[in-house]
């Protein structure tokens, strides 16, 4: 019997393939006394050999897909597995203490891990503790005969089933084999969902129970448009899926005709449709989808993709590549927005009860000016190679903006004094994602060159509903009149000062929101690249005067989200 699962539609598209469970297996074991030490050591050696074999494959895949630097991690794992000191100690425990291999591995690796972790003044050695932990897991899985999920080893078409995916898990998915994914937790704007859209992998998040309702190798249909998954579908259901996948492909082909057209409404008002990117590599997807700008370059992904803070030169190369790739079109780079669900293994943040309300984004940058200034210098240098703009994330107060801008001006002056070429018209703006800032948009508009509304956060902060928590996703209401009022205040305030407002939260590509945003006078819409062409197609059908009437009514007359949605349909259907 087919099982149907309902989740949150996270990335458009329809796919069907065998389930691959990305779930951590049970690695528990009992400690036993063994008789035959030689046989136990042989078992250990076999497990070491099998682990090495896995790691060789993973290392080569990582080098191919992610680059040599990422592959170094696995080289380090291989070195640990060849360490005569550690392996010798494990064999000794088997021989002398008659321990089973699992227990001997645990005893020895625990000692090494504690030793490295104690080196609190040596970040490099502390990281080695994490490497030993990873290697031990692999070794134990081979000893216990259970499979450790390794996405890099996938070599057939699959749908990934996971409790959750971190942004770095998502970055490692190989599009050739991973046809879709479904998770238990997460929301439409959690970063793994956003990345699945960039990778164009159909996805469902927040299903609640995928990992318990789906078993390895069962066929799963992922409908990322509606958020439905079918497990063990019938032949008829599979046929229907194929038809819908074809319809979706045909629809995409129709939108593709608009790739080189401008983004204009039915009555001729021009707006900018931009793409959100995470790395310079995403520029190709942006231009392929007809982006007229990059409205948000999430620079923190450069930091997340590295094993240490990226140098000024490495960052410069990345920003330069992005502006050059966009060929004169504007690229808005957001300074590092770490914190919340985005972590840096090499920059441990204090444990906090509310990371989304904690030490993050501009708060870290203003505190760790060494990191901030390095990033600003890299950006300033890259500005000479195209049209670069900068914005600061999570600005809550006028003082934060002024402080950040002052540091930017200082670094600019230093570079100019040193004779380094820097563009003299870099726009410096800010994200509008905190309700307090939205309420004083009139004040902030005097200092910022532009605003970019980050609705992913603005919604969660104004509704006090975690963007990644499926239990409160009913409160995550982009069309709620409260949010529309904040947006209106931001746009109107910027226009009064002769500035522009963009939106880089996912709402900018939401087909119900677009008519409202067009009516509110939004100047730039920036979204996952894959939403650009359908938005261009929608805008062509909208009349600005009518949309302004719609937006005014929604803001002043509607009480609920449902009323707003009904009104949008009345005005657009
Ligand atoms: C936002 O908050 O809307 C945004 C674009 O930033 P991020 O999703 O990276 O928090
Ligand atoms: Mg944000």
């Amino acid at each position: 019997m087919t099982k149907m699962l309902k989740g949150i539609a996270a990335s458009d598209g329809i796919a069907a393939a065998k389930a691959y469970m990305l779930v951590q297996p049970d690695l528990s074991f009992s400690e036993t006394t063994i008789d035959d030490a030689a046989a136990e050591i042989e078992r250990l050696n076999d497990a070491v050999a099998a682990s090495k074999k896995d790691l060789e494959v993973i290392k080569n895949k990582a080098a191919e897909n992610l680059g040599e630097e990422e592959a170094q991690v696995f080289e380090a794992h291989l070195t640990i597995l060849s360490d005569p000191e550690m392996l010798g100690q494990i064999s000794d425990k088997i021989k002398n203490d008659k321990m089973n291999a699992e227990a001997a591995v645990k005893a020895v690796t625990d000692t090494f891990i504690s030793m490295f972790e104690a080196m609190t003044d040596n970040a490099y050695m502390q990281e080695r503790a994490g490497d030993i932990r990873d290697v031990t897991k692999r070794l134990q899985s081979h000893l216990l005969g259970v499979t450790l999920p390794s996405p890099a080893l996938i070599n057939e078409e699959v749908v990934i089933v996971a409790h959750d995916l971190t942004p770095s898990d998502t970055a490692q998915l190989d599009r050739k084999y991973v046809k879709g994914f479904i998770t238990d937790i997460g929301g439409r704007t959690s970063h793994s969902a956003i990345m699945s859209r960039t990778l164009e992998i159909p996805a469902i998040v927040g299903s609640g129970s995928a990992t318990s309702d789906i078993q390895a190798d069962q066929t799963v249909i992922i409908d990322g448009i509606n958020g439905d998954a079918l497990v063990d579908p019938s032949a008829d259901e599979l046929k229907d899926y194929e038809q819908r996948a074809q319809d979706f492909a045909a629809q995409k082909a129709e939108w593709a005709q608009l790739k080189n057209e401008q983004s204009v409404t039915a009555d001729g008002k021009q707006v900018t449709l931009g793409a959100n990117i995470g790395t310079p590599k995403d520029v190709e997807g942006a231009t392929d989808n007809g982006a007229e700008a990059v409205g948000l370059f999430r620079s923190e992904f450069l930091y997340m993709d590295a094993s240490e803070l990226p140098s000024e030169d490495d960052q410069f190369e990345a920003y330069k590549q992005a502006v050059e790739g966009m060929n004169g079109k504007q690229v808005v780079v957001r300074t590092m927005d770490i914190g919340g669900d985005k972590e840096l293994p090499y920059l441990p943040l204090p444990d906090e009860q509310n990371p989304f309300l904690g030490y993050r984004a501009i708060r870290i940058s203003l505190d760790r000016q060494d990191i901030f200034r390095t990033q600003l210098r890299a950006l300033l240098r890259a500005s000479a190679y195209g049209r670069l703009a900068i914005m600061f994330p999570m600005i809550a107060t006028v003082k934060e903006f002024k402080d950040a801008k002052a540091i930017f001006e200082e670094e600019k002056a230093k570079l100019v004094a040193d004779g380094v070429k820097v563009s003299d018209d870099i726009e410096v703006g800010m994200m509008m994602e905190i309700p307090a800032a939205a309420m004083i948009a009139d004040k902030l508009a005097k200092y910022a060159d532009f605003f970019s509304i980050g609705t992913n956060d603005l919604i969660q902060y104004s509704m006090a509903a975690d963007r990644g928590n499926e239990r409160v996703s009913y409160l995550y209401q982009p069309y709620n009149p409260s949010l529309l009022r904040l947006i209106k205040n931001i746009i109107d305030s910027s226009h009064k000062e002769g500035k522009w407002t963009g939106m880089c939260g996912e709402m900018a590509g939401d087909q119900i929101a677009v008519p409202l945003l067009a009516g509110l006078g939004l100047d730039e819409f920036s979204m996952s690249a894959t939403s650009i062409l359908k938005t261009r197609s929608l805008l062509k059908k909208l009349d600005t005067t009518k949309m302004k009437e719609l937006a005014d009514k929604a803001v002043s007359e509607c009480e609920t989200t449902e009323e707003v949605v009904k009104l949008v349909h009345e005005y657009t259907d």
Side-chain angles (χ1 to χ4, degrees):
M1 251 280 277
T2 310
K3 214 184 280 171
M4 164 122 167
L5 297 183
K6 183 99 201 123
I8 299 165
S11 175
D12 277 356
I14 299 175
K18 271 190 346 190
Y20 181 92
M21 307 303 289
L22 196 58
V23 179
Q24 288 309 319
D26 180 7
L27 293 178
S28 58
F29 59 86
S30 12
E31 195 173 325
T32 55
T33 309
I34 48 113
D35 304 322
D36 188 347
E40 198 64 4
I41 290 177
E42 197 179 321
R43 212 162 68 79
L44 171 71
N45 290 340
D46 287 348
V48 170
S51 302
K52 281 185 172 171
K53 209 167 134 206
D54 285 357
L55 285 167
E56 285 290 352
V57 179
I58 296 175
K59 187 186 83 175
N60 292 338
K61 276 250 187 171
E64 228 173 80
N65 297 337
L66 305 164
E68 285 300 330
E69 203 179 320
E70 295 283 331
Q72 285 306 315
V73 179
F74 303 106
E75 188 60 54
H77 289 190
L78 280 163
T79 313
I80 294 169
L81 278 177
S82 308
D83 178 16
E85 173 68 30
M86 200 168 83
L87 294 177
Q89 285 190 26
I90 300 174
S91 300
D92 285 351
K93 282 224 176 290
I94 297 175
K95 259 190 277 179
N96 305 334
D97 303 343
K98 303 277 176 244
M99 274 185 174
N100 56 334
E102 290 86 343
V105 165
K106 177 164 172 25
V108 172
T109 53
D110 276 357
T111 315
F112 274 84
I113 290 169
S114 314
M115 190 173 79
F116 285 128
E117 275 181 343
M119 301 183 183
T120 44
D121 53 353
N122 188 333
Y124 177 80
M125 290 315 240
Q126 283 200 317
E127 264 175 47
R128 299 291 73 77
D131 288 339
I132 298 177
R133 217 176 254 122
D134 281 355
V135 169
T136 306
K137 257 204 226 157
R138 183 163 303 281
L139 198 52
Q140 295 288 29
S141 74
H142 281 294
L143 285 169
L144 293 164
V146 295
T147 314
L148 196 65
S150 309
L153 297 180
I154 297 172
N155 56 8
E156 58 182 342
E157 293 195 350
V158 296
V159 160
I160 300 266
V161 182
H163 179 62
D164 188 18
L165 285 174
T166 62
S168 61
D169 289 333
T170 315
Q172 290 181 38
L173 301 181
D174 184 342
R175 276 176 56 183
K176 193 157 120 213
Y177 298 121
V178 177
K179 296 291 142 192
F181 73 72
I182 177 162
T183 63
D184 292 339
I185 66 168
R188 201 181 137 72
T189 60
S190 43
H191 284 95
S192 47
I194 291 172
M195 287 176 75
S196 65
R197 291 196 275 286
T198 306
L199 293 167
E200 297 190 44
I201 299 177
I204 300 172
V205 295
S207 69
S209 58
T211 53
S212 44
D213 285 345
I214 304 175
Q215 255 133 56
D217 295 336
Q218 281 184 308
T219 300
V220 183
I221 298 178
I222 298 284
D223 175 347
I225 305 169
N226 298 309
D228 302 327
L230 293 185
V231 187
D232 257 348
S234 65
D236 279 351
E237 284 164 332
L238 271 171
K239 229 168 113 196
D240 176 55
Y241 136 76
E242 269 167 26
Q243 184 57 50
R244 284 189 301 130
Q246 273 174 22
D247 293 348
F248 182 68
Q251 173 71 269
K252 270 177 68 169
E254 201 184 306
W255 289 329
Q257 312 268 333
L258 302 176
K259 184 178 151 185
N260 298 316
E261 284 196 18
Q262 293 192 324
S263 308
V264 272
T265 59
D267 56 323
K269 176 166 183 225
Q270 192 156 352
V271 294
T272 304
L273 291 187
N276 296 345
I277 64 169
T279 81
K281 281 190 238 141
D282 299 337
V283 165
E284 197 183 324
T287 47
D288 280 354
N289 282 287
E292 294 159 306
V294 166
L296 167 64
F297 179 163
R298 286 185 167 90
S299 70
E300 58 277 8
F301 282 94
L302 291 181
Y303 292 74
M304 287 158 65
D305 272 354
S307 49
E308 57 187 4
L309 281 169
S311 67
E312 181 183 320
D313 281 347
D314 285 349
Q315 291 190 61
F316 161 70
E317 288 300 336
Y319 304 139
K320 174 169 172 268
Q321 198 185 329
V323 287
E324 285 183 341
M326 285 306 287
N327 218 351
K329 297 186 174 118
Q330 189 171 57
V331 176
V332 181
V333 183
R334 170 175 77 186
T335 61
M336 184 182 86
D337 184 9
I338 283 298
D341 63 346
K342 291 174 285 196
E343 294 174 355
L344 295 183
Y346 52 85
L347 186 77
L349 300 176
D351 264 345
E352 293 182 330
Q353 288 201 329
N354 291 302
F356 272 101
L357 300 180
Y359 183 64
R360 56 173 298 200
I362 196 69
R363 303 165 187 187
I364 300 182
S365 294
L366 291 174
D367 184 42
R368 290 289 309 268
Q369 289 193 16
D370 51 331
I371 301 176
F372 191 39
R373 286 178 190 269
T374 302
Q375 177 167 37
L376 291 173
R377 276 196 303 275
L379 287 165
L380 281 155
R381 284 169 54 198
S383 71
Y385 296 84
R387 207 172 137 218
L388 182 126
I390 295 175
M391 66 180 170
F392 306 124
M394 300 287 296
I395 293 285
T397 65
V398 171
K399 180 171 184 322
E400 278 178 334
F401 184 82
K402 284 188 178 172
D403 287 352
K405 175 91 192 273
I407 296 172
F408 165 83
E409 292 295 355
E410 274 174 34
E411 290 308 319
K412 184 174 169 189
K414 276 192 235 164
L415 283 173
V416 172
D418 288 346
V420 177
K421 199 157 169 264
V422 166
S423 159
D424 55 11
D425 62 351
I426 306 172
E427 288 189 288
V428 180
M430 58 171 273
M431 297 278 296
M432 269 290 184
E433 47 189 345
I434 297 184
M439 293 308 294
I440 53 162
D442 56 333
K443 305 293 177 216
L444 286 158
K446 295 189 194 313
Y447 307 103
D449 293 328
F450 64 92
F451 294 144
S452 183
I453 309 177
T455 47
N456 303 342
D457 280 318
L458 186 62
I459 300 171
Q460 77 163 345
Y461 295 135
S462 44
M463 302 298 281
D466 186 337
R467 65 195 260 189
N469 184 342
E470 68 289 351
R471 289 213 182 97
V472 293
S473 61
Y474 74 97
L475 279 171
Y476 201 83
Q477 301 180 355
Y479 332 119
N480 190 290
S482 59
L483 193 81
L484 299 179
R485 288 183 188 193
L486 285 176
I487 294 173
K488 179 173 167 51
N489 190 47
I490 298 167
I491 297 174
D492 289 351
S493 302
S494 70
H495 289 173
K496 269 193 200 120
E497 292 292 334
K499 312 284 174 69
W500 59 274
T501 292
M503 179 178 285
C504 59
E506 292 301 306
M507 184 175 173
D510 177 313
Q511 305 294 289
I512 299 282
V514 167
L516 291 160
L517 298 171
L520 290 169
L522 189 72
D523 303 291
E524 180 227 42
F525 299 63
S526 193
M527 59 197 76
S528 302
T530 46
S531 298
I532 292 176
L533 293 171
K534 70 174 170 198
T535 304
R536 185 167 293 153
S537 159
L538 173 61
L539 278 166
K540 268 166 77 91
K541 299 179 201 135
L542 303 179
D543 176 89
T544 326
T545 321
K546 226 170 123 194
M547 291 311 114
K548 187 169 177 329
E549 196 183 298
L550 158 70
D552 285 346
K553 266 200 188 166
V555 165
S556 56
E557 291 174 21
C558 289
E559 291 180 359
T560 64
T561 290
E562 292 72 22
E563 282 176 28
V564 174
V565 174
K566 196 164 156 259
L567 201 64
V568 172
H569 285 303
E570 277 168 27
Y571 270 80
T572 55
D573 286 349

